[in-house]
Amino acid sequence: MDILNDDRTKKLKAFDDTKSGVKGLIDAAAGGVVDIPTIFIRPPDELAEDLEVTRTSLLQIPAIYLNGVDNKASSRREKIVEQVKQASETWGFFQVVNHGIPIKVLDEVLKGAHEFHEQDVEKKKEYYSRDPERTVKLNTNFDFYLSRAANWRDSLIIDMVKSNHLDPQNLPSICRDATVDYISHLMKIADTLFELLSEALGLESDHLKQLECEKDKNVVLHYYPACPKPDLTLGIGKHTDATFITILLQDEVGGLEVLHGNKWVNVEPIPGALVVNIGDLLQIISNEKFKSVIHRVFGNVTRSRTSVGCFFHGASTPPKTYGPIEKLIAKGSPKLFKEFTVADYLMKFYSRGIDEKSGLNGVRI
Ligand code: OGA
Ligand code: NI
């Protein structure tokens, strides 16, 4: 390790030891201007690269209305499946509207997340941890020690991977009921989405469910504090998700951007909508029919932003082997990826910064 890196590691550790997160920096500035510590500042080559990728407000990820979806074998359902297919092939991202989760449930979980992160820093310290054994923990980006620049956000991570079960008592009381309520509604939508995705791949409705793609998951309450210099540090750097799918609820502030072609497209907040994106694992098992697309979060100068992500990782315990679905490998479309286990894929994913090259390359044939 060279001296520079060593110095950076020391700074990272000192920041982590405060257990106060990025929000702690804002609190400490008490209304004054926040100086962005160097550990958050993106490297010059990345900043330069940014200048070459433009933003567009002329494009938008597809919005899919789910009303009528439960009417199986109807032309309405077929139309929805076609929209899911198009969106998953071309964008890797779409929003679902009219999905049936009451607005109040969505508002309450966003409010709970916001209130958790805006509490007095002393109340949050007991949750601040990087201990893999803890099922509920708070930290400033999970790849803190590996990424080239730390991210301007704090996250409360609820891990339902090991137990596939949530003990509400482990959740902070300030967001407990709202989070439990949201998760129980979300699981019904997740069921529907995995059915639609199966059908969009030309498979039986329950194919992805049979593969236990829905089994293990994390629910994460993200908080992106207002950022005085959003061009210098990102809410989350560009990455793809190591999931089958991710379902995200965002508040009205905006800032999530999707790389489409060579342009960043801002995912416009639609009240009551959920953002769905295809992750690496679905790209692999669909033999690349569906795409896991690069995205990032750009900060807002004056407003903080809250989002709640649900990351479906698939079955990790007991280990299960995944690979391209046999039916999707045809003459013109040879098998593109090797078999893998989720635990192995995640281990590789978590042992590098998410701003590094996609983990897909590691399993490509
Ligand atoms: C993520 C992510 C986007 C958001 O956590 O992987 O892309 O808007 N989050 O919080
Ligand atoms: Ni993501």
Side-chain angles (χ1 to χ4, degrees):
M1 195 178 275
D2 62 43
I3 294 169
L4 252 180
N5 270 333
D6 200 29
D7 184 46
R8 177 175 168 83
T9 307
K10 273 192 203 140
K11 285 184 181 154
L12 289 168
K13 177 134 186 18
F15 173 85
D16 230 10
D17 285 346
T18 67
K19 294 182 180 283
S20 304
V22 178
K23 180 64 168 64
L25 295 174
I26 312 274
D27 293 347
V33 181
V34 186
D35 268 335
I36 299 180
T38 52
I39 52 170
F40 290 92
I41 301 199
R42 299 160 71 203
D45 58 314
E46 214 192 284
L47 292 170
E49 197 184 286
D50 245 23
L51 300 175
E52 285 161 28
V53 186
T54 51
R55 285 207 169 98
T56 180
S57 51
L58 297 174
L59 290 171
Q60 198 38 239
I61 67 167
I64 302 176
Y65 287 74
L66 289 189
N67 41 302
V69 74
D70 291 335
N71 203 349
K72 294 208 172 148
S74 64
S75 60
R76 174 81 193 117
R77 172 127 174 162
E78 264 173 42
K79 185 162 179 241
I80 295 170
V81 168
E82 185 54 33
Q83 288 175 324
V84 167
K85 177 170 185 273
Q86 288 287 333
S88 305
E89 286 173 353
T90 55
W91 283 90
F93 263 86
F94 53 92
Q95 308 211 47
V96 288
V97 197
N98 286 357
H99 43 63
I101 305 185
I103 289 276
K104 190 162 165 32
V105 172
L106 306 178
D107 286 349
E108 288 293 315
V109 72
L110 284 172
K111 180 164 167 269
H114 184 83
E115 286 178 353
F116 170 79
H117 287 285
E118 296 226 327
Q119 285 177 106
D120 190 286
V121 69
E122 294 305 323
K123 294 220 169 94
K124 291 183 288 183
K125 280 186 180 167
E126 63 173 298
Y127 292 99
Y128 200 94
S129 168
R130 294 190 186 276
D131 180 352
E133 294 304 315
R134 277 185 73 164
T135 52
V136 178
K137 57 180 169 278
L138 169 68
N139 59 46
T140 294
N141 53 284
F142 65 85
D143 62 339
F144 195 61
Y145 290 94
L146 300 163
S147 58
R148 297 178 74 202
N151 291 163
W152 201 253
R153 73 164 177 182
D154 297 327
S155 305
L156 183 72
I157 302 161
I158 303 160
D159 189 346
M160 294 163 73
V161 171
K162 287 204 189 72
S163 56
N164 193 26
H165 151 90
L166 173 66
D167 181 356
Q169 289 317 309
N170 290 337
L171 293 174
S173 58
I174 196 163
C175 55
R176 183 181 298 149
D177 294 349
T179 305
V180 170
D181 203 20
Y182 174 65
I183 293 176
S184 75
H185 278 91
L186 191 66
M187 291 313 132
K188 291 188 208 125
I189 304 300
D191 259 358
T192 304
L193 285 168
F194 277 108
E195 280 182 14
L196 294 172
L197 289 161
S198 302
E199 291 171 37
L201 286 168
L203 305 165
E204 292 297 322
S205 258
D206 65 347
H207 198 110
L208 295 175
K209 189 168 197 173
Q210 293 297 337
L211 290 177
E212 299 184 297
C213 298
E214 282 171 76
K215 194 178 166 211
D216 293 341
K217 53 213 157 266
N218 284 329
V219 175
V220 184
L221 313 187
H222 291 307
Y223 179 85
Y224 300 86
C227 181
K229 297 244 168 53
D231 44 341
L232 290 186
T233 175
L234 291 171
I236 178 168
K238 61 174 189 181
H239 68 284
T240 59
D241 292 350
T243 56
F244 283 97
I245 63 168
T246 304
I247 306 178
L248 185 97
L249 169 66
Q250 63 168 337
D251 69 11
E252 74 287 1
V253 175
L256 172 60
E257 298 181 328
V258 174
L259 191 61
H260 186 65
N262 61 347
K263 292 200 167 57
W264 288 112
V265 174
N266 180 43
V267 177
E268 197 183 311
I270 302 176
L274 295 167
V275 180
V276 181
N277 67 286
I278 308 299
D280 295 352
L281 307 183
L282 190 50
Q283 174 164 341
I284 299 171
I285 70 164
S286 72
N287 206 35
E288 215 149 71
K289 292 208 162 31
F290 290 171
K291 301 270 164 34
S292 172
V293 169
I294 291 177
H295 53 286
R296 67 177 189 181
V297 172
F298 206 80
N300 186 294
V301 181
T302 51
R303 301 180 68 184
S304 66
R305 171 173 181 267
T306 307
S307 69
V308 180
C310 184
F311 300 84
F312 289 90
H313 294 294
S316 50
T317 43
K320 188 180 170 85
T321 306
Y322 289 97
I325 294 169
E326 216 48 55
K327 252 188 113 174
L328 303 180
I329 306 165
K331 274 206 190 96
S333 141
K335 186 172 166 179
L336 299 173
F337 300 97
K338 294 180 253 188
E339 262 68 38
F340 64 96
T341 65
V342 169
D344 207 32
Y345 194 88
L346 290 182
M347 203 208 17
K348 291 199 180 105
F349 183 84
Y350 288 121
S351 63
R352 64 190 175 92
I354 56 163
D355 46 6
E356 297 295 320
K357 279 220 172 59
S358 162
L360 282 174
N361 296 330
V363 286
R364 210 174 267 284
I365 289 176

